[in-house]
Amino acid sequence: MKRLIYTILLMSLSVRAQHVSVEMYNQQMENDSYGTPLGSPDGSTTLTKEIDDEISLLSPAQKASFKAQVERTQNNIVRPPGGQETTVSPYQNTDFSQKRGSSSRKLYKKLANDTQQTKKKQNEQMRSEFPLERDAAHKDTKELVKKGIEFFNRNRIDKVCHAFTHTNTFVRGDISLFLLDINGSYMASGEGQSSVLWQNIASMSDNSIVKIEDLFELAKTNNGWLHYNWRNGTRVIYVEVVVKEGKKYILGGGYYSFSQADHVVNLVKQAVVDFERKKREGKPVADAFSDMSYPLGRFNNGNLYLFAYDFNGNTMAHGNDPTSIGTNQLDLQDSDGVYIHREMIEKLKHATEGVWLTYKYHRATKRSYIEKVISSEGVPYFIGCGYYPEADQKAVINLVERGYEYLKTVGKTQAAEAFTTKENDDFRYGDIYLFVYDMQGYCIANGKDPVAVGRDYYNAKDDQGNDFVKIFLEHATVTGAWVNLPNKNSIESVYLRIVNMGNQRLVIGAGVYPASKEETMILLVKSAVSFINVNDSSQLFAQASESNGRFIRGNLEVFVLNDNGFCLVYGNQLPTIWQNFMNSKDDDGRPYVKIMINSALSGPSRVKYRLNGATKEAYVQSVKKDGKNYIIGASRYLTAW
């Protein structure tokens, strides 16, 4: 839309001038709603260069006029009842041919056509299930599985299992292969998890979501993909049926996804499996929905929670607001006038699988994934989960800074009301909200839970036993500081500022959960550092080695070394304990562990190295405890996805 405004306004300016930097324009392009250039659907042609060329010919005075006109035109964007944006331009009735000649007419016609095509493409992209990074991960996984199948068909079963389990031939960064027999037992696994061999996948998986019959059924289709919980993470696998000497096996490969889209799908699919299982057991639907609404249950993960409605809009479950259960939300609208639940119901009426819906909520873009379920009585419901792709650490800082200035300007009472009132979105952005405590631990404002206001939280503990308010008060600074705490089966990163209000000091803050593998890696390490600072070192080693413990997320696991290179813990890879890795070399012959140790002793560091033919990055910190130096870290492959 902004690029359309720019082009129309440029056509209204008739005087050409010298080249000039277009910093303002570039900034506007970076903030474009979809972030894709105008042009043909395949991206082969764009108008970006043509518009740049036009801007470069304006004089400084004309550029100032141009900027003002852009702002005025943006303010004239209107939305008809159907919800689609249209622009009322100050030059709507202008004859462009008189202003700019035939070349401008051609440009304008091209713009009109390209805008329609691009808008369609952008809407399809926003409605798509996953970002492009997911496509790359799927492509790499499927290619590796195909390579494994070729090897399987040419070799004996023992040689196949050895190659998958003990060599790097079938490892591509984070992706590795596995082989299951017809009973679901692991015959081979290349994840470095030898403890899973001969274990049954159905008995090992979280919430019994993976069953061998499901895998065989999936493998028969053209889309043998499955999401499930494993090691506190979202595991995504691709499987195919293979046959040797008349026996069937499942050969598959997979990776741990740290994208919010995959987490959302995983939560919904878990809930659907749980719903169907309880239906088979003859339990009432209320039994399944009650589990989805428990705020500290397995269906709540950080800022992700489930919701469920019937097709009349009645709330059956809500993990973020259980008080809404029983209310009718059929006419709930977003800020653009979209009837959210009506849209969801309409989409599901014509869908054979789960669907996505993008809408605005609390001033931010939200993407929700929903699936339909039917009770044993034939009543349809839908279960969903959503996330805010733009609610990140930058948004947290911006909201806290705005709240800080407002608090200083209008005072504690008025600011506390504005921060807490749920009907007021001025101090919310998606699922980010403000809270305020005084230095005695009393809650002054809470945008998520108004009931908390006025209560004493000084000795309150979170679900991990941490005195979270005490930690807030201890770590907050005048200029702003981050603190990381485990919360709701995830790790929350909270930004805090001290506010001096005359004779009283307050702490204002807001939090966000990791949205990428990089963020999760860093938060795991920082969380482990905080843990060892207040606990005995052996307690950290014990907890870090638990396969479903707080310091493992998928294939991200905390490791601890001493400064002589001995491994004290590396996730649940117990054989690594007391091995010395000081002289271990990466694929390029570099002593990467020695580099990690030396770097960490100088301060928190990132170290890159190559293993299994791919680049890996470790984040490491040094902690001194009882006179000893411990190197605490975690690592990830720097894949394209």
Side-chain angles (χ1 to χ4, degrees), residues 381-395:
Y381 303 91
F382 65 89
I383 301 169
C385 181
Y387 72 102
Y388 297 91
E390 298 161 352
D392 54 15
Q393 290 192 354
K394 182 179 178 181

Side-chain angles (χ1 to χ4, degrees), residues 327-341:
T327 64
N328 189 283
Q329 301 294 327
L330 188 63
D331 293 327
L332 178 67
Q333 292 178 274
D334 74 356
S335 57
D336 293 336
V338 174
Y339 287 93
I340 299 171
H341 296 136

Side-chain angles (χ1 to χ4, degrees), residues 317-584:
H318 206 293
N320 190 51
D321 185 14
T323 61
S324 69
I325 295 172
T327 64
N328 189 283
Q329 301 294 327
L330 188 63
D331 293 327
L332 178 67
Q333 292 178 274
D334 74 356
S335 57
D336 293 336
V338 174
Y339 287 93
I340 299 171
H341 296 136
R342 289 180 183 270
E343 288 281 333
M344 290 180 176
I345 292 168
E346 193 61 31
K347 276 177 170 281
L348 286 172
K349 284 181 179 178
H350 308 288
T352 57
E353 54 186 16
V355 298
W356 287 88
L357 182 68
T358 300
Y359 51 96
K360 291 280 189 179
Y361 207 67
H362 295 319
R363 300 190 302 116
T365 298
K366 186 170 187 177
R367 300 188 68 228
S368 288
Y369 176 77
I370 47 178
E371 285 198 19
K372 179 170 64 176
V373 292
I374 300 176
S375 71
S376 54
E377 294 81 16
V379 179
Y381 303 91
F382 65 89
I383 301 169
C385 181
Y387 72 102
Y388 297 91
E390 298 161 352
D392 54 15
Q393 290 192 354
K394 182 179 178 181
V396 167
I397 294 174
N398 289 339
L399 191 63
V400 171
E401 296 302 323
R402 285 183 57 237
Y404 175 92
E405 294 298 333
Y406 190 76
L407 188 57
K408 296 281 286 185
T409 302
V410 304
K412 180 174 73 174
T413 303
Q414 187 174 335
E417 182 178 357
F419 299 164
T420 302
T421 304
K422 287 197 172 184
E423 289 74 22
N424 183 2
D425 276 351
D426 290 345
F427 292 99
R428 282 183 178 78
Y429 188 77
D431 51 10
I432 303 173
Y433 63 91
L434 293 174
F435 60 78
V436 181
Y437 292 95
D438 67 17
M439 300 309 287
Q440 287 71 48
Y442 283 90
C443 180
I444 306 300
N446 191 308
K448 182 179 182 181
D449 183 13
V451 178
V453 176
R455 293 183 176 178
D456 181 1
Y457 284 89
Y458 191 76
N459 293 309
K461 298 184 184 298
D462 61 19
D463 57 338
Q464 295 289 333
N466 298 304
D467 299 318
F468 66 99
V469 173
K470 284 183 183 178
I471 294 172
F472 290 166
L473 301 179
E474 291 169 2
H475 286 80
T477 67
V478 175
T479 56
W482 289 93
V483 62
N484 306 301
L485 289 171
N487 191 15
K488 292 185 178 180
N489 305 314
S490 185
I491 303 173
E492 185 177 19
S493 208
V494 182
Y495 181 70
L496 304 158
R497 277 198 74 175
I498 290 176
V499 189
N500 290 311
M501 304 289 290
N503 59 355
Q504 187 179 28
R505 300 177 85 200
L506 305 174
V507 170
I508 185 172
V512 69
Y513 292 87
S516 68
K517 192 169 188 177
E518 178 186 18
E519 289 179 15
T520 305
M521 174 184 73
I522 294 172
L523 289 179
L524 275 177
V525 174
K526 289 182 177 294
S527 181
V529 169
S530 298
F531 185 89
I532 199 173
N533 280 331
V534 296
N535 294 282
D536 188 79
S537 59
S538 61
Q539 289 181 266
L540 173 62
F541 305 155
Q543 292 212 22
S545 62
E546 294 179 7
S547 59
N548 288 307
R550 62 191 288 186
F551 297 111
I552 288 180
R553 291 290 184 276
N555 59 349
L556 287 178
E557 46 197 357
V558 167
F559 60 79
V560 183
L561 306 165
N562 66 18
D563 52 10
N564 292 316
F566 281 95
C567 177
L568 304 173
V569 67
Y570 191 172
N572 67 335
Q573 299 184 44
L574 302 184
T576 63
I577 296 175
W578 296 121
Q579 288 198 44
N580 192 291
F581 293 98
M582 182 65 85
N583 295 316
S584 296

Side-chain angles (χ1 to χ4, degrees), residues 52-113:
D52 284 341
D53 291 341
E54 295 285 340
I55 291 176
S56 70
L57 297 172
L58 302 180
S59 68
Q62 288 171 329
K63 276 194 277 299
S65 173
F66 169 69
K67 180 178 179 180
Q69 291 166 13
V70 167
E71 294 170 349
R72 286 198 300 272
T73 305
Q74 286 178 309
N75 292 334
N76 287 330
I77 293 177
V78 297
R79 191 177 300 277
Q84 185 174 353
E85 290 181 349
T86 59
T87 303
V88 180
S89 169
Y91 304 96
Q92 195 167 30
N93 297 321
T94 300
D95 182 356
F96 286 98
S97 63
Q98 294 179 6
K99 290 261 180 194
R100 302 301 300 270
S102 60
S103 61
S104 291
R105 286 201 306 275
K106 292 178 181 178
L107 182 60
Y108 182 71
K109 288 179 180 178
K110 175 176 170 56
L111 173 68
N113 178 63

Side-chain angles (χ1 to χ4, degrees), residues 52-329:
D52 284 341
D53 291 341
E54 295 285 340
I55 291 176
S56 70
L57 297 172
L58 302 180
S59 68
Q62 288 171 329
K63 276 194 277 299
S65 173
F66 169 69
K67 180 178 179 180
Q69 291 166 13
V70 167
E71 294 170 349
R72 286 198 300 272
T73 305
Q74 286 178 309
N75 292 334
N76 287 330
I77 293 177
V78 297
R79 191 177 300 277
Q84 185 174 353
E85 290 181 349
T86 59
T87 303
V88 180
S89 169
Y91 304 96
Q92 195 167 30
N93 297 321
T94 300
D95 182 356
F96 286 98
S97 63
Q98 294 179 6
K99 290 261 180 194
R100 302 301 300 270
S102 60
S103 61
S104 291
R105 286 201 306 275
K106 292 178 181 178
L107 182 60
Y108 182 71
K109 288 179 180 178
K110 175 176 170 56
L111 173 68
N113 178 63
D114 285 350
T115 299
Q116 290 180 352
Q117 295 296 325
T118 305
K119 194 70 173 180
K120 180 180 179 182
K121 179 184 177 183
Q122 290 166 342
N123 287 337
E124 290 172 352
Q125 182 177 342
M126 289 296 287
R127 288 194 299 267
S128 65
E129 292 187 10
F130 297 92
L132 294 177
E133 289 81 358
R134 184 258 199 181
D135 293 337
H138 272 42
K139 179 175 179 291
D140 288 349
T141 300
K142 203 167 184 178
E143 286 179 354
L144 192 62
V145 170
K146 296 294 185 183
K147 178 181 176 183
I149 291 173
E150 291 178 5
F151 186 82
F152 176 92
N153 290 333
R154 295 195 311 266
N155 294 277
R156 299 190 318 270
I157 193 73
D158 53 359
K159 187 174 181 180
V160 170
C161 292
H162 170 79
F164 287 3
T165 304
H166 295 295
T167 75
N168 293 333
T169 306
F170 297 97
V171 176
R172 184 178 296 179
D174 279 332
I175 306 170
S176 57
L177 298 184
F178 60 84
L179 187 71
L180 304 172
D181 67 15
I182 196 168
N183 298 312
S185 296
Y186 271 99
M187 296 186 65
S189 176
E191 298 178 51
Q193 300 292 324
S194 57
S195 60
V196 305
L197 296 178
W198 305 119
Q199 300 296 310
N200 191 279
I201 189 171
S203 63
M204 296 170 61
S205 61
D206 295 355
N207 308 320
S208 301
I209 192 172
V210 182
K211 298 184 182 300
I212 190 64
E213 56 266 29
D214 296 334
L215 287 179
F216 273 102
E217 190 61 35
L218 277 168
K220 293 175 187 176
T221 71
N222 293 324
N223 184 26
W225 292 97
L226 181 68
H227 294 67
Y228 59 95
N229 272 1
W230 199 289
R231 290 163 56 91
N232 299 322
T234 296
R235 181 82 169 152
V236 183
I237 62 172
Y238 176 77
V239 293
E240 288 197 21
V241 174
V242 291
V243 180
K244 185 173 288 293
E245 298 175 352
K247 294 183 179 180
K248 290 183 179 180
Y249 302 87
I250 286 287
L251 195 159
Y255 61 96
Y256 290 95
S257 173
F258 290 81
S259 80
Q260 288 183 301
D262 273 322
H263 290 330
V264 162
V265 171
N266 184 34
L267 278 177
V268 173
K269 288 189 177 296
Q270 283 185 66
V272 169
V273 168
D274 189 64
F275 182 95
E276 296 296 338
R277 180 172 60 241
K278 289 181 176 177
K279 183 171 73 172
R280 289 194 300 270
E281 294 170 353
K283 295 180 179 179
V285 293
D287 195 48
F289 290 138
S290 64
D291 287 348
M292 301 176 202
S293 299
Y294 181 48
L296 299 179
R298 58 194 172 98
F299 292 122
N300 266 39
N301 192 305
N303 56 344
L304 301 180
Y305 58 87
L306 293 176
F307 53 80
Y309 298 86
D310 65 18
F311 272 44
N312 293 315
N314 295 308
T315 309
M316 308 303 298
H318 206 293
N320 190 51
D321 185 14
T323 61
S324 69
I325 295 172
T327 64
N328 189 283
Q329 301 294 327

